[in-house]
Amino acid sequence: MTQSQTGLLFFVGAIVAALLYLLQPVLTPFVVGIGIAYLADPFADRLEARGCSRTIATIIVFVVLILVLAAIILVVVPLMIKQIQTLVQMIPTIEVWYNAALLPWLQSNLGVDVKSMNLDLVTEGLSAEWKQTGGVISRVVQYATQSSMSLISTLGSMAMVPVVAFYMLRDFDLLTARIKALLPISAQPRVSALASESNDVLGAFMRGQLLVMFSLGVIYALGLSAVGLNYALLIGILAGLASIVPYLGFVVGIAVAMVIAFFQFDGYVPLTLVVAVFVIGQMVESFVLTPLLVGDRIGLHPVAVIFAILAGGQLFGFMGILLALPIAAVIMVLLRNLHEGYIKSSLYGQRDSE
């Protein structure tokens, strides 16, 4: 890549970043819709290769997505709400153990001032809030309806997502071809190669990592259910979502599960089984899921993943969190190519000639 082409790419990237920052309040449904279209494009391509028109293929993909989403809403969401309500009712039990066992131990062994660590005010506040709102659903509804304009805006944004996703999926190949046609002819081969490499990295992450997260959530939820642990579905979903950062799902999941198991079971056997569930899940992820579904094409260090998510959220809010890792993957591809160009350049070889 020549210096002018590199400068052009960074200039375009700066303009895109500035537009994202200025338009972030209205871009979230478009970003989500484009993400759905990108994830679903390979399935539409396969249907199209089997003789379906692009529109029919898009409709079939959307029908399947709607059925899956409906099943999740009808089956998983009510179970999650029930488990959250039960978990809130467990707070007084934790408070009793905290005040009767943990605080005296801290005071006698570490000399900690227990007066400043009392949970009474916290638990009373939580109980009052949940009794006042009447549960999870009523609290969410109350929050959403505090502002009529906010509610209308939220519903409008949600309604835009499937519309954007449908049209983007239907015209995905056409749009990419038109974008390519806008590039200077001299730059098209190099930019196409970079785009293809970026697509491989994005596909490996967005499709592969999402499948890994889903698989781990299922493994943890089923394993903890087999052990008999309460809130197994909730912990499984939490650990699966946290698995977007390597090993974070394991750490978060096992920590929460051990706390719940400590109050639920007597003896060490159930605690050992809980640990075994997460160890098996981590082994399956490391030796089966990640090599099979993701591979080694991403190359993002766990620290880079954490920084990208935090930086995206700080700069662009929720939309920044959605875009953080895809943008980080593309930047990694560009930096990798710049590094290769630098290694092959005369600047890098000057040291030998001196």
Side-chain angles (χ1 to χ4, degrees):
M1 179 182 292
T2 65
Q3 185 176 0
S4 60
Q5 291 173 347
T6 303
L8 177 61
L9 284 177
F10 279 102
F11 177 72
V12 172
I15 292 177
V16 171
L19 289 175
L20 289 176
Y21 182 79
L22 294 174
L23 299 176
Q24 57 177 312
V26 298
L27 282 182
T28 299
F30 292 92
V31 171
V32 175
I34 293 172
I36 293 174
Y38 178 79
L39 292 173
D41 180 63
F43 303 103
D45 288 341
R46 292 176 185 176
L47 291 173
E48 195 174 7
R50 294 184 179 182
C52 295
S53 67
R54 186 68 183 190
T55 301
I56 296 299
T58 302
I59 292 174
I60 293 174
V61 170
F62 259 76
V63 169
V64 174
L65 289 176
I66 291 172
L67 291 176
V68 172
L69 181 61
I72 293 175
I73 293 175
L74 293 175
V75 177
V76 177
V77 173
L79 292 175
M80 286 185 58
I81 292 176
K82 183 177 180 180
Q83 291 195 359
I84 291 174
Q85 291 174 329
T86 308
L87 182 61
V88 172
Q89 296 173 359
M90 189 179 177
I91 291 177
T93 303
I94 298 176
E95 180 193 4
V96 170
W97 171 82
Y98 179 84
N99 290 323
L102 182 60
L103 288 185
W105 185 89
L106 291 174
Q107 185 175 21
S108 61
N109 291 276
L110 302 178
V112 177
D113 182 13
V114 298
K115 294 182 180 179
S116 61
M117 302 177 63
N118 198 288
L119 284 183
D120 289 341
L121 295 177
V122 178
T123 53
E124 288 176 4
L126 287 173
S127 300
E129 284 292 323
W130 283 92
K131 289 178 181 179
Q132 180 180 0
T133 56
V136 178
I137 297 178
S138 60
R139 183 169 181 79
V140 172
V141 172
Q142 181 188 22
Y143 176 79
T145 55
Q146 284 178 351
S147 172
S148 299
M149 291 304 298
S150 176
L151 177 62
I152 293 173
S153 176
T154 301
L155 294 176
S157 297
M158 293 175 61
M160 286 294 295
V161 170
V163 176
V164 173
F166 179 87
Y167 285 108
M168 286 297 302
L169 180 58
R170 190 192 66 176
D171 300 328
F172 195 87
D173 296 336
L174 179 63
L175 290 172
T176 53
R178 288 182 176 178
I179 292 174
K180 180 180 178 180
L182 292 174
L183 296 172
I185 296 178
S186 60
Q188 285 185 11
R190 185 57 177 166
V191 174
S192 296
L194 288 174
S196 178
E197 186 177 352
S198 299
N199 180 63
D200 290 340
V201 172
L202 284 176
F205 175 78
M206 293 185 68
R207 299 184 185 97
Q209 190 63 31
L210 287 177
L211 286 174
V212 169
M213 292 164 58
F214 174 78
S215 301
L216 283 177
V218 171
I219 291 172
Y220 291 145
L222 293 178
L224 295 176
S225 297
V227 173
L229 185 70
N230 294 333
Y231 324 113
L233 176 63
L234 197 60
I235 296 173
I237 292 176
L238 176 64
L241 292 175
S243 297
I244 191 171
V245 178
Y247 306 108
L248 182 61
F250 173 83
V251 173
V252 171
I254 197 171
V256 176
M258 290 297 287
V259 171
I260 300 299
F262 177 80
F263 289 98
Q264 179 181 344
F265 300 117
D266 294 325
Y268 295 101
V269 175
L271 298 177
T272 304
L273 293 176
V274 169
V275 173
V277 168
F278 283 93
V279 171
I280 292 173
Q282 187 61 42
M283 292 177 63
V284 171
E285 177 194 9
S286 300
F287 296 105
V288 180
L289 295 178
T290 298
L292 180 64
L293 299 175
V294 179
D296 57 355
R297 290 173 292 176
I298 297 178
L300 284 177
H301 192 275
V303 175
V305 172
I306 297 173
F307 176 80
I309 294 175
L310 294 178
Q314 178 66 29
L315 294 175
F316 301 106
F318 178 70
M319 188 193 68
I321 295 175
L322 295 178
L323 291 174
L325 292 178
I327 291 177
V330 173
I331 291 176
M332 184 203 67
V333 171
L334 296 177
L335 291 177
R336 182 188 301 163
N337 280 268
L338 287 174
H339 178 260
E340 292 176 358
Y342 166 67
I343 295 297
K344 296 176 182 178
S345 68
S346 59
L347 179 63
Y348 182 77
Q350 286 178 357
R351 186 182 306 168
D352 296 332
S353 60
E354 290 179 355

